[in-house]
Amino acid sequence: MAIRQVREMGDDILRKQSKPLTKMTLRTKILIKDMLDTMYEANGVGLAAPQVGILKQVVVVDVGEGPYVLINPEIIEASGEQTGDEGCLSLPGKAGKVTRPNYVKVRCLNEDMEEVEYEGEELLARAFCHEIDHLKGILYADLVVGGLHDVEYEDEEE
Ligand code: ZN
């Protein structure tokens, strides 16, 4: 298990465009594994490669029903609307209201570089949109209505 350092807002890398992945390599497999470890360790529901300093179009998402790995993802369908609090591992301790589609369909490659489509509603749709935005250098803070507010975390007892 390897935890990578999560870049925080203010770091230029979060504002850059990520490049499509052209082939799966051992290096990228390790990156994906580390991204999952890093996301779970931080109790996040998603993480994008630029957040760990890698400008590749790789995203991991898990809203509690098992991990999704999305490579070169694009949203090909979106409908409905949801407004709710969103947070980001790159803006620790903050949250803010963002409006997103309530349903999205995403086309991407899986870890075997096969084309797949994933559908998501509610939190999963929100997570897909949020993470795909990271690949374009967009942070949820850019989309927040009403400003960011502080979130209190409960202390975890081990
Ligand atoms: Zn984020």
Side-chain angles (χ1 to χ4, degrees), residues 46 51 87-90 130-131 134 139-140:
Q51 291 181 278
C88 179
L89 297 180
S90 294
H130 176 117
E131 300 311 329
H134 272 300
L139 296 175
Y140 87 90

Short mmCIF file of all heavy atoms in Angstrom, two decimals, residues 46 51 87-90 130-131 134 139-140, ligand 1:
data_model
loop_
_atom_site.label_atom_id
_atom_site.label_comp_id
_atom_site.label_asym_id
_atom_site.label_seq_id
_atom_site.Cartn_x
_atom_site.Cartn_y
_atom_site.Cartn_z
N GLY A 46 -13.49 9.90 -4.47
CA GLY A 46 -12.91 9.97 -5.80
C GLY A 46 -11.56 10.66 -5.74
O GLY A 46 -11.27 11.41 -4.80
N GLN A 51 -4.34 15.26 -8.98
CA GLN A 51 -4.30 15.52 -7.53
C GLN A 51 -3.10 14.88 -6.87
O GLN A 51 -2.74 15.26 -5.75
CB GLN A 51 -5.59 15.02 -6.86
CG GLN A 51 -6.81 15.83 -7.23
CD GLN A 51 -8.03 15.31 -6.50
OE1 GLN A 51 -8.64 14.35 -6.93
NE2 GLN A 51 -8.36 15.92 -5.38
N GLY A 87 -17.15 18.27 -1.57
CA GLY A 87 -15.85 18.50 -0.98
C GLY A 87 -14.79 17.92 -1.90
O GLY A 87 -15.10 17.33 -2.92
N CYS A 88 -13.53 18.12 -1.54
CA CYS A 88 -12.44 17.68 -2.40
C CYS A 88 -11.20 17.46 -1.54
O CYS A 88 -10.93 18.28 -0.65
CB CYS A 88 -12.16 18.75 -3.45
SG CYS A 88 -10.81 18.35 -4.56
N LEU A 89 -10.49 16.39 -1.80
CA LEU A 89 -9.28 16.11 -1.01
C LEU A 89 -8.22 17.19 -1.21
O LEU A 89 -7.31 17.32 -0.40
CB LEU A 89 -8.72 14.73 -1.34
CG LEU A 89 -9.66 13.55 -1.00
CD1 LEU A 89 -9.01 12.23 -1.38
CD2 LEU A 89 -10.07 13.55 0.45
N SER A 90 -8.35 17.98 -2.29
CA SER A 90 -7.40 19.06 -2.53
C SER A 90 -7.79 20.35 -1.82
O SER A 90 -7.06 21.35 -1.89
CB SER A 90 -7.25 19.32 -4.04
OG SER A 90 -6.66 18.20 -4.66
N HIS A 130 -17.21 15.64 -10.90
CA HIS A 130 -16.16 16.31 -10.12
C HIS A 130 -14.77 15.84 -10.56
O HIS A 130 -13.87 16.65 -10.79
CB HIS A 130 -16.41 16.02 -8.64
CG HIS A 130 -15.38 16.57 -7.70
ND1 HIS A 130 -15.68 17.51 -6.74
CD2 HIS A 130 -14.06 16.29 -7.55
CE1 HIS A 130 -14.57 17.80 -6.06
NE2 HIS A 130 -13.58 17.07 -6.53
N GLU A 131 -14.61 14.52 -10.68
CA GLU A 131 -13.28 13.98 -11.01
C GLU A 131 -12.90 14.28 -12.46
O GLU A 131 -11.73 14.57 -12.75
CB GLU A 131 -13.22 12.47 -10.73
CG GLU A 131 -13.49 12.07 -9.28
CD GLU A 131 -12.69 12.85 -8.25
OE1 GLU A 131 -11.56 13.27 -8.53
OE2 GLU A 131 -13.23 13.04 -7.14
N HIS A 134 -11.47 17.63 -12.79
CA HIS A 134 -10.05 17.74 -12.40
C HIS A 134 -9.13 17.56 -13.60
O HIS A 134 -8.06 18.16 -13.66
CB HIS A 134 -9.70 16.66 -11.36
CG HIS A 134 -9.95 17.05 -9.94
ND1 HIS A 134 -9.34 18.13 -9.34
CD2 HIS A 134 -10.74 16.50 -8.99
CE1 HIS A 134 -9.75 18.22 -8.08
NE2 HIS A 134 -10.60 17.24 -7.84
N LEU A 139 -11.72 23.08 -10.60
CA LEU A 139 -11.98 22.67 -9.21
C LEU A 139 -13.42 23.03 -8.86
O LEU A 139 -13.96 24.01 -9.37
CB LEU A 139 -11.02 23.38 -8.26
CG LEU A 139 -9.54 23.04 -8.45
CD1 LEU A 139 -8.67 23.90 -7.54
CD2 LEU A 139 -9.27 21.56 -8.19
N TYR A 140 -14.02 22.25 -7.96
CA TYR A 140 -15.42 22.52 -7.61
C TYR A 140 -15.59 23.92 -7.04
O TYR A 140 -16.66 24.52 -7.16
CB TYR A 140 -15.97 21.43 -6.67
CG TYR A 140 -15.71 21.67 -5.21
CD1 TYR A 140 -16.63 22.39 -4.42
CD2 TYR A 140 -14.56 21.19 -4.60
CE1 TYR A 140 -16.38 22.62 -3.08
CE2 TYR A 140 -14.32 21.43 -3.26
CZ TYR A 140 -15.23 22.15 -2.51
OH TYR A 140 -14.98 22.38 -1.18
ZN ZN B 1 -11.60 16.91 -6.11
#
